[in-house]
Amino acid sequence: MRAELARGDALAGNVQPVLRHLLSAHDAPLFSDEVLARVRGMFADLARNLLTAADEASPGAGVRDPGVTEHELLVRALMDRRELLLHVHALAIEWLLTDRLQARAALDPVVSPLVQSLVSGDDEAAQALAMTWLAAQARWSQAQRRMGLPFTELPGELLHGARLALRSVLAGSAQRANAAEAAIRARYDEGSGRLGLGARLIMGLGRDAGVALALDRAGLGLFLTALSLASGQPRDVLALSTHEPQIARFVLALRAAGLTAEDVSRQMLTLQPGIVLPGGLAQIGSDLAGAILATGRYGG
């Protein structure tokens, strides 16, 4: 298992630079056309939204269509932020799997059985939070269908990187850059985004949080969040580990989260029914799985 994890990590170290190259080219044989199109589309939308915020915030400037050159410069500057590129790639993979789960397993991309039970339950606080998460998940699903990415949905540290990229593009106009920074900060609340709400929802389950580690009950969005919290692995890394070269990391995370070998097989059958799981899984307990993951890495 350690060897498979090492091989997967070695490959992962090359993913981001290769992805940057493919996104700037027209031929993309190493990645699916749909994933690359989604990553390009989300970066284009994010750049457009940031530039629009800059124009709306600049006194007297009015709202204008961003110039092609400025927009392209910002797209490239955003793609050069490694962690942001990893995040957008992970979102593309998450949506692809979400769409496939709906088609193959009739798993609704927004209203999962777990969320339904919380919405119809007696706990008013949990009910309200579940309803708020439902609205956020619905907005994300709609945005993904049009390959959109609002900057308000970025994790805080990634939005900081996006602001730095915007400032580098607006270097010739300090007033516009400062106004844009202020406007973006005013509109941003990390806790009200889909990922922040999902984490609050899972943590609010307390001792019952393990129910979210059943993919067919929680839905992919909450399942990934629950697995990240339970295993200590970054959510984006887990999303990107659902494909075969990195599957050792994913199943180790499931074991580290406390799932039995049988439960791991069951979850993988729902997620990726054709995939071959690494051998010796039953011999690796939760503590050992966590220790193996702790000595590994993702990327370079």
Side-chain angles (χ1 to χ4, degrees):
M1 186 72 81
R2 288 182 188 274
E4 292 198 37
L5 182 63
R7 280 195 296 272
D9 282 342
L11 178 62
N14 296 322
V15 166
Q16 301 308 315
V18 170
L19 183 59
R20 278 194 293 269
H21 170 72
L22 291 176
L23 288 167
S24 64
H26 296 290
D27 185 26
L30 299 180
F31 293 82
S32 78
D33 290 342
E34 184 173 359
V35 169
L36 290 174
R38 288 195 168 280
V39 173
R40 286 193 190 100
M42 280 187 275
F43 271 114
D45 187 66
L46 178 59
R48 192 177 303 112
N49 291 337
L50 290 168
L51 288 170
T52 298
D55 288 334
E56 290 175 342
S58 299
V63 180
R64 61 181 178 82
D65 187 24
V68 174
T69 300
E70 187 175 65
H71 181 257
E72 288 180 352
L73 285 173
L74 182 53
V75 169
R76 292 171 191 165
L78 291 169
M79 284 183 184
D80 282 340
R81 313 293 303 191
R82 180 189 178 279
E83 294 302 323
L84 182 57
L85 181 58
L86 185 146
H87 178 66
V88 175
H89 190 193
L91 290 178
I93 296 296
E94 181 181 350
W95 175 251
L96 218 63
L97 290 171
T98 298
D99 197 39
R100 289 176 184 172
L101 285 166
Q102 183 178 27
R104 188 178 66 240
L107 187 56
D108 191 285
V110 178
V111 188
S112 68
L114 173 59
V115 176
Q116 276 186 318
S117 68
L118 292 172
V119 168
S120 60
D122 297 329
D123 188 326
E124 292 185 2
Q127 185 182 65
L129 181 56
M131 290 292 291
T132 306
W133 183 87
L134 270 179
Q137 178 73 3
R139 288 193 301 270
W140 179 77
S141 298
Q142 291 168 358
Q144 282 298 307
R145 289 188 176 97
R146 63 175 188 271
M147 302 183 189
L149 179 58
F151 64 77
T152 51
E153 286 296 321
L154 292 176
E157 67 276 11
L158 298 185
L159 180 62
H160 176 69
R163 293 203 319 266
L164 292 177
L166 177 63
R167 183 168 284 278
S168 71
V169 171
L170 303 181
S173 175
Q175 180 184 13
R176 189 171 168 221
N178 291 336
E181 288 258 4
I184 290 167
R185 285 199 193 95
R187 290 174 56 184
Y188 183 72
D189 177 10
E190 186 170 12
S192 65
R194 179 182 76 110
L195 298 179
L197 288 168
R200 285 172 53 198
L201 191 151
I202 297 300
M203 289 187 288
L205 294 174
R207 294 181 179 178
D208 295 327
V211 300
L213 292 173
L215 177 56
D216 58 352
R217 180 157 176 77
L220 184 62
L222 289 176
F223 173 79
L224 287 173
T225 297
L227 182 56
S228 175
L229 291 171
S231 69
Q233 292 291 292
R235 190 181 188 279
D236 288 341
V237 168
L238 290 172
L240 292 171
S241 299
T242 54
H243 62 288
E244 196 151 11
Q246 277 285 312
I247 205 64
R249 177 173 296 280
F250 195 80
V251 298
L252 281 170
L254 290 169
R255 289 292 274 148
L259 272 67
T260 66
E262 292 77 14
D263 286 336
V264 171
S265 297
R266 192 175 301 115
Q267 299 313 313
M268 293 308 301
L269 185 62
T270 303
L271 183 66
Q272 295 279 24
I275 209 157
V276 178
L277 295 181
L281 196 57
Q283 284 70 51
I284 299 177
S286 176
D287 291 342
L288 179 56
I292 294 172
L293 288 171
T295 60
R297 62 183 180 83
Y298 189 94

